[in-house]
Amino acid sequence: MKTKPEKKFIPVVNRTLSSWIMEGNLKLQILLVVIILITVAIRVVPLEMQQRIVNEAINLRKLDLLVLYCGIYLLAVVSASLLKLIINLIQTRISEKVTAEMRKQLYHHILNIGLDFFRTTPPGTVVNSLLNELNIPGNYVGMAIAVPLINIVTLLAFAGYLIVLNPLLGVVSFALYPIMLYIIPLLQRRVNRDNKERLNASRILSSKIVESVSGIHEVQANGAFEIENHKYDKIVDDLMDIRIRWTLYKYAIKIISNFFVNLGPFLIFIIGGYLAINGQLGLGALVAFLSAQEKLYDPWKELIEFYQVYQDGSINYYKTMGYFDVPIDTVLAAKDRAPFELEGSVHVDHVTLETPDGIKLLDNVSLDVAPGEQLALVGFSGSGKSSLALCIAQLYRYTSGHATLGGKEISELTKADITQNMGLVSQSPFIFEGTIRENLMYSYTALFGETCTLEGECAPELDGLVQVLQQSGLFVDVLRFGLNTILQADEEEIVPVVINMRKTFQEDYGEAIAEWVEFFDEKQFLSYASIAENIIFGAPAADDFKNDQLMENQFFLNFLDDADLTRPLLTLGKEIAHQTVDILKNLTLDRMFFEQTPIKPEEFDEYQEIVRVIKNKNLHQINQKQTRALLDLALRFSPGKHRIAALSEFMIHLILEGRFLFKERIKQKNAGAVSFFRNDQYIHSQTIFNNILFGIVKTTNPAAQEKINQFMIALLIGEDFLERMIEIGMNFNVGTKGNNLSGGQRQKLAIARTFLKSPAVMILDEATSALDNNSQKRIQSVLSRQWKGKSTLIAVVHRLDIVKDYDKIAFLKAGKIVEMGTYDELMAKKGYFYELAYGHN
């Protein structure tokens, strides 16, 4: 039995635009043809009906024929309109389907292009190509059969009908179109030329925008606004000139087309009128000719527009595909076998890496690393350390020599072979938008498949995730993310657990941390909370009850009056303002001096003026603006933080009474506006940490904060809730490019995801450069104790004090290995490595 020959794979960048027309769309295109033929036949009916209405119904004064012909006319028009809508819907479906498929295939191709291509290709070019430049080719494919077919067949049908009515007028009606077919392509060539320039300028502009936004830190740090503005303005001006020329030629095509189309009725009037006057043409036939002449404009207009879409689409398509027509040197996966599972031996034999300009980044490099050994690559910047590591990782392709992994030539291995056996952590690892868990699982999922992110046989257990988080040093960060989480609706099941832990925490550790924490107690005044927070004593759910909105909240202002708090608070605010201005008026307005007062440095001038104006006035004499300012100041006052004034016992008693009155009032008017602090209630607007602590930390002392954290971790362990908190912490969203993480946290996360993958060979390219000294030493200790003998390690190292435990150290200079040996051997040799190490010391 003969097997069906396998269809030859054609890369997307080598496909013709026309190849997309039928692929996957054959049934829809056939349906289109059928609907189009029916539509064209229906579109001729109104012309015939017009002639019959005039010649038969009106001339013979037959009302029944008038009704009949008008009914047929209306039915034809409605049917043609509905069929046209269906045609447009099918066209749109084909266009969007093809555009989506073009984007998918081109994106898949781009991801496989070697790194050299991306050194000279700005991200903006890739973005613009995928998002914008494939739209017009996709539109063309949707129109490729429907538009020319329906309009050409319509023109032929009208021509045949009109020639049958009157050969002379029929020929005259279509005599102008050959002239248009000659002139319009001439103009279209100008349009095509300018369109190519427009695409190039648009790519340059897009790349410039991406470059400026990506480098905004450098732009602002160097004050290079004028430099960047000048570059950008020049590109925009060039694009403007090109677009003006391009648009003018496009309009010229439309104007000339409209001119010839409008010239048609003129000829019909002259010649047809003459024939009608001489009795050689019926009045109905003349009406049909004039109506047909008007209707001929639409198909001709659509053909002109289709021609422009075809030209623009072809230019966009072939220019875009040509730009990315770069050979893919590496095969993704072998078709006839599973990925190799190789031992972790690495052999490099006379490897050279040369740039297209002839610069040798690596020059005749040789080395051997046995399975489980650890090799450190050291040297000055530009010595070739990273280039060698990336050649072994198959990200760079060496130009000569041999490099093997487990006895297999690296350049001949598939990407699946490399990813199966190797893990890479770069100096600036890329962290993807999503959660900690998704990024942690990134390499693992790529290796084992999407199903392994769910519960299944291949999915890693939580213990495994926790282990790599501990090894990389990210465990504490993830725990903190979990504790700082505000619970979502799908996590409500842990609310009673947290409330129970709150009680246990205060019972077990309350006395130990009493000097650092004020626990919430509705019968006690909180010295380290503001007066407003003491009155409300809860977490505002409504914005108008947040501290910065209280002065605009009439309900709250009325409450202060009813609670007899307004005048005492005004008195306090007046005292705070007077004392602050009196003490600080002759000092430099440094923020340090404002730690003892609720007045902010930027508010000082305002309150200084208020103090001057109200100096000799009683409270009832100050205006509303001054009253609001002094009230706001008093409500922000926290006696534990601000020593500029003191609260009397009577005032504290008045505030506590006001707390209970406020609670009653708000429940009557707006029960959901505030979540009150109660020992048996979870505060959903607060973090898990705050809900367990259920109080205010009085100090910023790092040692005290660390002690509180230690007690919190001990509580989680005792309550068997530590792993659940880690799970919650792994749902923390890292932001775009990991912007919600520090540089060190990003490196820890990248190291953790490589540890989770547990590859035969790990390559660390200055993977700990953003970490502090203790974190670097900790990770190096983990590598030495837990990974030596388990995975082969090749590490580009910039700190020489952490390479003592490596089995081998290779010192590179100018792309060559000039020294290799153990730490002790190289130090005893007193060569390059010794000099570098001595210089570091």
Side-chain angles (χ1 to χ4, degrees):
M1 181 178 177
K2 291 185 178 180
T3 58
K4 187 176 179 180
E6 188 175 337
K7 186 177 179 181
K8 183 181 178 182
F9 172 75
I10 301 176
V12 64
V13 291
N14 298 136
R15 290 187 59 173
T16 62
L17 182 56
S18 59
S19 68
W20 296 94
I21 295 173
M22 288 299 182
E23 184 176 312
N25 302 308
L26 182 60
K27 293 181 179 179
L28 286 176
Q29 297 287 24
I30 292 173
L31 179 61
L32 263 182
V33 171
V34 173
I35 296 174
I36 285 168
L37 294 177
I38 296 171
T39 303
V40 171
I42 292 174
R43 290 175 74 171
V44 178
V45 172
L47 296 178
E48 177 63 21
M49 291 303 102
Q50 288 176 5
Q51 179 188 210
R52 294 192 180 190
I53 287 169
V54 174
N55 289 346
E56 298 179 19
I58 295 176
N59 279 348
L60 300 177
R61 299 180 181 274
K62 290 188 175 182
L63 186 59
D64 57 338
L65 289 179
L66 178 64
V67 172
L68 175 62
Y69 293 152
C70 286
I72 295 173
Y73 180 97
L74 181 61
L75 180 62
V77 169
V78 172
S79 299
S81 298
L82 290 175
L83 290 172
K84 180 67 174 175
L85 175 62
I86 294 172
I87 290 170
N88 287 336
L89 290 174
I90 296 174
Q91 277 183 233
T92 301
R93 168 67 180 168
I94 294 172
S95 294
E96 294 303 322
K97 181 181 175 184
V98 168
T99 302
E101 192 60 31
M102 284 181 182
R103 284 177 176 153
K104 290 177 186 177
Q105 291 192 25
L106 182 57
Y107 179 77
H108 299 167
H109 174 83
I110 290 171
L111 289 186
N112 296 329
I113 298 176
L115 292 184
D116 289 341
F117 174 80
F118 294 100
R119 287 202 192 102
T120 56
T121 301
T125 299
V126 180
V127 172
N128 191 50
S129 297
L130 288 169
L131 291 184
N132 300 322
E133 294 182 12
L134 293 178
N135 286 332
I136 298 178
N139 289 341
Y140 160 73
V141 172
M143 302 165 66
I145 288 182
V147 173
L149 180 62
I150 191 170
N151 291 296
I152 290 173
V153 173
T154 298
L155 287 173
L156 291 176
F158 282 11
Y161 177 76
L162 295 179
I163 288 173
V164 169
L165 275 182
N166 188 290
L168 176 61
L169 276 184
V171 171
V172 168
S173 298
F174 287 88
L176 298 174
Y177 291 98
I179 302 173
M180 297 166 69
L181 289 173
Y182 173 75
I183 295 176
I184 288 176
L186 293 177
L187 293 172
Q188 185 65 45
R189 281 197 285 271
R190 299 289 184 92
V191 173
N192 293 347
R193 180 199 65 191
D194 292 331
N195 192 29
K196 290 179 182 178
E197 294 184 19
R198 179 185 67 86
L199 288 176
N200 286 333
S202 296
R203 278 181 178 168
I204 294 170
L205 180 62
S206 177
S207 299
K208 180 60 198 166
I209 294 171
V210 171
E211 179 187 58
S212 299
V213 173
S214 301
I216 192 66
H217 183 274
E218 292 298 322
V219 174
Q220 295 193 1
N222 291 282
F225 306 105
E226 289 301 320
I227 295 174
E228 296 304 318
N229 290 342
H230 177 73
K231 292 178 184 177
Y232 180 80
D233 293 351
K234 175 69 168 57
I235 298 170
V236 170
D237 289 340
D238 290 343
L239 179 59
M240 177 188 69
D241 293 338
I242 293 167
R243 287 186 63 88
I244 288 173
R245 290 199 310 270
W246 176 62
T247 304
L248 284 176
Y249 281 121
K250 288 182 72 175
Y251 279 133
I253 292 174
K254 289 184 178 181
I255 291 169
I256 291 172
S257 175
N258 289 341
F259 170 75
F260 280 108
V261 167
N262 291 324
L263 194 60
F266 168 76
L267 296 176
I268 297 298
F269 276 121
I270 289 290
I271 300 172
Y274 174 81
L275 295 175
I277 291 171
N278 289 287
Q280 298 177 22
L281 184 68
L283 187 58
L286 180 60
V287 171
F289 266 99
L290 290 171
S291 178
Q293 195 59 224
E294 181 182 347
K295 295 181 185 297
L296 284 174
Y297 174 73
D298 289 334
W300 178 252
K301 175 187 173 185
E302 289 190 23
L303 283 172
I304 294 296
E305 290 176 351
F306 170 74
Y307 180 68
Q308 288 183 331
V309 170
Y310 164 68
Q311 294 291 340
D312 292 346
S314 295
I315 291 169
N316 283 34
Y317 180 81
Y318 289 111
K319 197 166 188 65
T320 299
M321 295 304 177
Y323 188 86
F324 296 104
D325 188 7
V326 178
I328 305 298
D329 298 325
T330 307
V331 178
L332 292 185
K335 296 181 180 179
D336 55 349
R337 63 171 176 82
F340 291 127
E341 292 190 16
L342 304 172
E343 64 170 359
S345 62
V346 175
H347 173 67
V348 178
D349 183 21
H350 297 93
V351 162
T352 296
L353 175 62
E354 191 172 343
T355 69
D357 300 329
I359 300 172
K360 288 186 177 180
L361 302 178
L362 295 175
D363 187 4
N364 207 32
V365 172
S366 297
L367 58 82
D368 283 291
V369 188
E373 275 192 332
Q374 297 189 344
L375 166 70
L377 302 177
V378 301
F380 295 107
S381 178
S383 60
K385 309 184 297 294
S386 293
S387 297
L388 177 57
L390 295 178
C391 278
I392 295 171
Q394 205 194 57
L395 293 178
Y396 289 170
R397 298 191 68 81
Y398 43 91
T399 46
S400 64
H402 297 281
T404 62
L405 170 62
K408 302 285 185 181
E409 188 72 33
I410 290 175
S411 62
E412 297 175 0
L413 291 174
T414 67
K415 275 295 178 189
D417 296 327
I418 292 294
T419 53
Q420 175 75 31
N421 297 279
M422 194 176 291
L424 170 70
V425 183
S426 64
Q427 181 178 1
S428 301
F430 193 92
I431 304 300
F432 293 89
E433 169 74 34
T435 65
I436 293 278
R437 179 189 293 273
E438 289 168 344
N439 275 279
L440 182 61
M441 294 283 293
Y442 190 76
S443 296
Y444 190 92
T445 304
L447 185 62
F448 294 106
E450 289 286 345
T451 56
C452 290
T453 61
L454 307 173
E455 295 297 329
E457 292 184 3
C458 62
E461 294 182 356
L462 180 60
D463 288 346
L465 297 177
V466 170
Q467 183 181 21
V468 298
L469 290 175
Q470 290 173 331
Q471 289 178 347
S472 67
L474 194 63
F475 179 84
V476 174
D477 297 290
V478 174
L479 179 60
R480 189 174 70 253
F481 294 147
L483 286 168
N484 288 332
T485 295
I486 294 177
L487 286 184
Q488 304 300 314
D490 58 349
E491 297 169 319
E492 284 291 306
E493 81 281 355
I494 75 168
V495 164
V497 180
V498 173
I499 292 175
N500 184 63
M501 283 195 291
R502 175 191 298 168
K503 180 181 177 183
T504 304
F505 186 74
Q506 292 190 15
E507 289 175 353
D508 293 351
Y509 308 108
E511 290 186 12
I513 62 174
E515 62 179 305
W516 304 318
V517 178
E518 270 190 313
F519 293 107
F520 292 144
D521 183 343
E522 64 179 349
K523 296 180 181 179
Q524 297 295 322
F525 182 85
L526 300 172
S527 296
Y528 283 82
S530 69
I531 289 179
E533 290 167 339
N534 267 286
I535 293 172
I536 294 176
F537 199 67
D543 289 342
D544 53 348
F545 283 94
K546 293 180 179 177
N547 289 348
D548 58 348
Q549 300 291 321
L550 289 177
M551 288 302 95
E552 306 300 325
N553 186 333
Q554 195 58 50
F555 171 88
F556 186 77
L557 294 175
N558 292 339
F559 154 76
L560 292 180
D561 289 338
D562 295 342
D564 296 324
L565 280 168
T566 301
R567 292 188 67 81
L569 288 175
L570 281 174
T571 302
L572 176 63
K574 186 177 179 181
E575 180 187 357
I576 293 169
H578 175 79
Q579 294 282 18
T580 302
V581 170
D582 190 52
I583 293 172
L584 301 181
K585 63 183 177 183
N586 296 318
L587 297 177
T588 304
L589 298 183
D590 191 292
R591 285 194 174 273
M592 178 184 68
F593 297 128
F594 287 84
E595 293 177 357
Q596 303 296 317
T597 175
I599 293 179
K600 301 171 185 175
E602 59 271 20
E603 300 173 332
F604 185 77
D605 290 342
E606 176 188 351
Y607 280 102
Q608 188 175 29
E609 178 62 17
I610 290 174
V611 168
R612 186 189 67 79
V613 172
I614 68 172
K615 184 175 182 180
N616 298 315
K617 291 183 179 180
N618 295 317
L619 291 179
H620 71 276
Q621 294 175 308
I622 63 178
N623 63 34
Q624 185 182 44
K625 182 178 179 182
Q626 294 159 352
T627 299
R628 294 284 176 89
L630 294 178
L631 268 180
D632 184 39
L633 192 57
L635 289 168
R636 283 192 269 149
F637 177 69
S638 173
K641 301 175 187 175
H642 307 134
R643 305 307 171 100
I644 200 75
L647 283 184
S648 65
E649 286 297 323
F650 173 75
M651 185 66 175
I652 291 174
H653 179 72
L654 201 59
I655 291 170
L656 290 175
E657 283 192 346
R659 176 187 293 176
F660 291 100
L661 178 60
F662 176 79
K663 190 173 183 180
E664 289 179 9
R665 289 282 180 88
I666 199 70
K667 283 184 176 179
Q668 294 170 3
K669 298 292 183 181
N670 190 354
V674 176
S675 297
F676 293 102
F677 295 144
R678 287 174 40 192
N679 281 325
D680 61 346
Q681 183 170 318
Y682 190 92
I683 309 300
H684 287 81
S685 61
Q686 299 288 306
T687 64
I688 296 175
F689 179 90
N690 288 340
N691 268 282
I692 295 175
L693 184 69
F694 210 58
I696 297 175
V697 179
K698 298 188 288 187
T699 177
T700 57
N701 186 324
Q705 301 250 351
E706 180 61 27
K707 200 68 177 175
I708 294 171
N709 290 337
Q710 289 175 3
F711 287 141
M712 189 69 70
I713 292 173
L715 171 74
L716 295 173
I717 293 172
E719 296 291 319
D720 196 22
F721 203 72
L722 185 65
E723 288 190 350
R724 182 71 178 96
M725 193 58 64
I726 290 295
E727 282 190 288
I728 295 172
M730 284 194 290
N731 291 328
F732 175 76
N733 193 297
V734 300
T736 304
K737 297 182 181 179
N739 284 339
N740 293 336
L741 303 177
S742 67
Q745 288 170 335
R746 288 195 286 269
Q747 284 194 334
K748 289 177 186 177
L749 180 53
I751 292 169
R753 69 186 177 195
T754 299
F755 283 172
L756 182 64
K757 182 180 176 181
S758 190
V761 176
M762 285 193 295
I763 297 179
L764 307 184
D765 185 6
E766 297 196 32
T768 60
S769 59
L771 303 182
D772 58 73
N773 292 344
N774 290 334
S775 296
Q776 288 193 44
K777 289 178 180 178
R778 185 180 182 284
I779 288 179
Q780 184 54 52
S781 175
V782 169
L783 290 169
S784 300
R785 289 185 293 103
Q786 300 184 34
W787 289 94
K788 184 174 286 190
K790 182 179 179 182
S791 287
T792 303
L793 174 64
I794 299 175
V796 177
V797 180
H798 69 290
R799 284 190 53 189
L800 302 186
D801 58 337
I802 62 173
V803 300
K804 294 180 181 179
D805 293 331
Y806 280 80
D807 299 300
K808 295 178 183 177
I809 301 170
F811 190 99
L812 283 88
K813 182 179 180 182
K816 296 181 179 181
I817 294 179
V818 293
E819 285 183 346
M820 185 181 296
T822 65
Y823 180 86
D824 292 337
E825 288 171 349
L826 294 183
M827 291 298 286
K829 188 177 180 181
K830 295 190 175 181
Y832 291 106
F833 179 78
Y834 176 85
E835 291 181 6
L836 184 61
Y838 186 78
H840 273 240
N841 293 331

